[in-house]
Amino acid sequence: MSSGNSSSSDRGSQPPSSAKQREKARVSRTSMILWHAHQNDASAVRKLLEEDPSLVHARDYDSRTPLHVASLHGWIDVAKYLIEFGADVNAQDRWKNTPLADAEGAKKYAIIEFLKSYGGLSYGQNGSHFEPKPVAPPLPSKCDWEIDPSELDFSNSAIIGKGSFGQILKAYWRGTPVAVKRILPSLSDDRLVVQDFRHEVNLLVKLRHPNIVQFLGAVTEKKPLMLITEYLRGGDLHQYLKEKGALSPSTAINFALDIARGMAYLHNEPNVIIHRDLKPRNVLLVNSNTDHLKVGDFGLSKLIKVQNCHDVYKMTGETGSYRYMAPEVFKHRKYDKKVDVFSFAMILYEMLEGEQPLANYEPYEAAKIVAEGHRPPFRAKGFTLELRELTDQCWAADMNRRPSFLDILKRLEKIKEILPSDHSWNIFNS
């Protein structure tokens, strides 16, 4: 019969589940303080810190502290409590950014002065440019795809996209129109930029599918670094929807099928590629006939080796575009490939409604509202009961309830079979 007091040996032989529970509670508290720092909920942040002062040093998967989060958004009341509880005003995230560097980048002038008054320093902004020796992952054999920049003709080039690290231009390679992602020369020695560039090349080299933008080659041995893919004449889905408005159900379903085919290929186990930034701008129309779509831009994608179908990954919170972002990403929680299914639901909604999800909110506010459990309202007649049910499941708050892209393909094919033709639909709507 056991006594009420456990011996030290008893305590040492606790079931493993209790250790797991403690770890789960710790991760949950870390997520909560980062989440409340995001929401500018100073009282909730203070309550958490009073319960557990060590949370002031919490870190997300990019090594960002609650003070980084508050500084980026300009939340002074939250920052005051964090400083009061001993936050490191010059903590550095994985890009070597300090909270002050984040505040300066976001032009949050009040908190800039506040951080400076506590000894805040600004360094590491835009990634660490101070590393003398760039370190980047090795690239696969280059014999087939390394392109000599002299073969690229930019004499009649046109900018077709811009990003933080460079431009995407239409150019010509051996007489063929191509899309060239060109890294800014000033960033060609930045360790993290080079690492991300090589990561994208490593992914694209392996991809072959009719609904995935085709990689043609890259310039890795000379500067500027360049990534070359096929040029698609139809532009992106964002621009197309801006011009056309709501699509007919049959067109939306055909578009959705192409996106789902590409994504089912990327999600194929065991080598799963999670896109992490699926949105209309990254879905391209092959030509002006708009009869074929391809998924592109793999700059934020992650290749994951899946041990079993229930694997959940520790990955970067807030990766991707706010308006199409899954709530678990926004909340800095663990997530898996189902984040892409959520983004797909938002795209399907936009195609049928003819406007962006929660269009009357700024992207960050929209993501926050979605993370709180709200979803855009169904208004369009094109949303049949079957399409509503599919969309509801794809953007479910519980990622385990979201279907796989293989299941989505089967569902869309069935919906397509029972859908009236566009002609019949137009008569029905008139």
Side-chain angles (χ1 to χ4, degrees):
M1 190 171 173
S2 63
S3 66
N5 297 320
S6 298
S7 68
S8 59
S9 61
D10 289 337
R11 287 194 296 272
S13 59
Q14 290 180 68
S17 61
S18 62
K20 283 183 182 175
Q21 284 166 355
R22 286 199 305 276
E23 171 63 11
K24 187 175 180 183
R26 187 191 66 77
V27 170
S28 174
R29 288 197 306 275
T30 296
S31 295
M32 282 172 71
I33 194 162
L34 289 161
W35 169 236
H36 289 309
H38 262 292
Q39 288 200 302
N40 195 21
D41 192 339
S43 59
V45 168
R46 185 178 182 88
K47 185 171 184 293
L48 282 166
L49 290 172
E50 286 170 347
E51 292 169 359
D52 183 357
S54 71
L55 287 174
V56 77
H57 305 299
R59 299 262 180 170
D60 69 10
Y61 306 127
D62 280 329
S63 208
R64 290 166 57 74
T65 65
L67 188 57
H68 279 93
V69 173
S71 302
L72 180 67
H73 297 294
W75 308 144
I76 285 189
D77 288 343
V78 173
K80 281 178 181 173
Y81 286 140
L82 292 167
I83 296 283
E84 183 185 321
F85 278 84
D88 180 359
V89 74
N90 289 317
Q92 289 180 280
D93 63 15
R94 84 169 174 108
W95 296 283
K96 307 277 193 264
N97 280 355
T98 60
L100 179 55
D102 277 359
E104 288 178 342
K107 295 183 172 63
K108 302 296 182 182
Y109 301 111
I111 206 163
I112 288 170
E113 295 309 313
F114 171 78
L115 292 168
K116 283 180 178 177
S117 73
Y118 281 91
L121 301 172
S122 175
Y123 48 86
Q125 221 169 342
N126 299 321
S128 175
H129 302 301
F130 314 111
E131 306 259 352
K133 294 179 182 176
V135 179
L139 288 163
S141 170
K142 300 178 185 178
C143 59
D144 295 329
W145 54 261
E146 180 72 30
I147 290 177
D148 189 316
S150 65
E151 293 184 13
L152 292 165
D153 177 8
F154 290 98
S155 57
N156 292 309
S157 67
I159 296 174
I160 53 179
K162 287 184 179 179
S164 308
F165 301 139
Q167 300 173 323
I168 301 172
L169 303 110
K170 177 188 177 184
Y172 289 84
W173 174 52
R174 299 178 185 176
T176 300
V178 292
V180 179
K181 181 188 278 190
R182 188 163 66 184
I183 303 300
L184 292 171
S186 60
L187 297 178
S188 288
D189 287 324
D190 184 288
R191 180 178 63 83
L192 286 168
V193 172
V194 173
Q195 183 175 300
D196 288 346
F197 171 81
R198 291 193 168 188
H199 169 76
E200 188 171 6
V201 170
N202 268 314
L203 277 180
L204 285 169
V205 164
K206 302 171 182 137
L207 303 182
R208 295 285 185 280
H209 190 274
N211 295 110
I212 299 294
V213 172
Q214 184 62 54
F215 169 80
L216 298 173
V219 176
T220 66
E221 295 178 345
K222 297 182 181 178
K223 296 172 187 174
L225 302 172
M226 291 184 273
L227 191 151
I228 296 93
T229 57
E230 64 179 322
Y231 173 70
L232 302 176
R233 299 175 188 280
D236 64 47
L237 183 58
H238 169 79
Q239 191 58 38
Y240 183 80
L241 293 174
K242 203 171 172 184
E243 293 168 5
K244 301 286 184 182
L247 305 180
S248 68
S250 60
T251 302
I253 288 170
N254 285 332
F255 280 13
L257 281 165
D258 271 356
I259 298 167
R261 288 181 190 114
M263 294 307 302
Y265 167 77
L266 293 178
H267 283 193
N268 184 46
E269 295 180 5
N271 297 312
V272 172
I273 293 171
I274 305 178
H275 192 290
R276 304 205 300 172
D277 196 19
L278 188 60
K279 60 183 179 182
R281 285 190 191 277
N282 290 338
V283 176
L284 305 174
L285 285 73
V286 172
N287 52 44
S288 55
N289 294 334
T290 65
D291 53 4
H292 191 45
L293 301 186
K294 295 193 179 199
V295 176
D297 199 334
F298 295 89
L300 293 175
S301 302
K302 290 290 178 193
L303 174 62
I304 306 293
K305 196 86 173 176
V306 177
Q307 304 301 322
N308 66 70
C309 62
H310 300 298
D311 278 358
V312 177
Y313 319 107
K314 282 188 178 181
M315 286 183 292
T316 311
E318 286 200 42
T319 297
S321 301
Y322 282 124
R323 197 171 296 282
Y324 305 90
M325 184 182 286
E328 61 270 23
V329 181
F330 185 78
K331 292 179 181 180
H332 294 256
R333 295 187 178 162
K334 291 181 182 180
Y335 61 86
D336 66 8
K337 62 186 179 181
K338 293 295 182 69
V339 298
D340 290 338
V341 174
F342 184 94
S343 301
F344 170 82
M346 291 301 216
I347 295 172
L348 182 57
Y349 176 90
E350 188 169 335
M351 290 193 293
L352 286 161
E353 293 286 345
E355 66 174 26
Q356 293 182 321
L358 300 170
N360 50 330
Y361 293 94
E362 290 299 312
Y364 177 81
E365 288 300 316
K368 182 178 168 185
I369 287 165
V370 163
E372 290 166 352
H374 304 287
R375 295 294 180 269
F378 296 117
R379 296 191 184 99
K381 292 178 181 175
F383 256 118
T384 63
L385 177 62
E386 295 82 6
L387 283 170
R388 284 189 184 205
E389 286 175 353
L390 177 60
T391 306
D392 268 333
Q393 287 176 24
C394 288
W395 66 28
D398 179 358
M399 61 187 179
N400 296 311
R401 283 190 53 226
R402 298 174 204 156
S404 70
F405 276 107
L406 286 174
D407 289 334
I408 291 168
L409 281 170
K410 291 173 189 169
R411 300 265 296 274
L412 286 171
E413 291 287 3
K414 284 183 180 174
I415 294 169
K416 186 178 177 180
E417 285 174 13
I418 61 171
L419 200 71
S421 68
D422 278 353
H423 178 68
S424 307
W425 193 266
N426 290 336
I427 293 170
F428 177 73
N429 280 343
S430 58

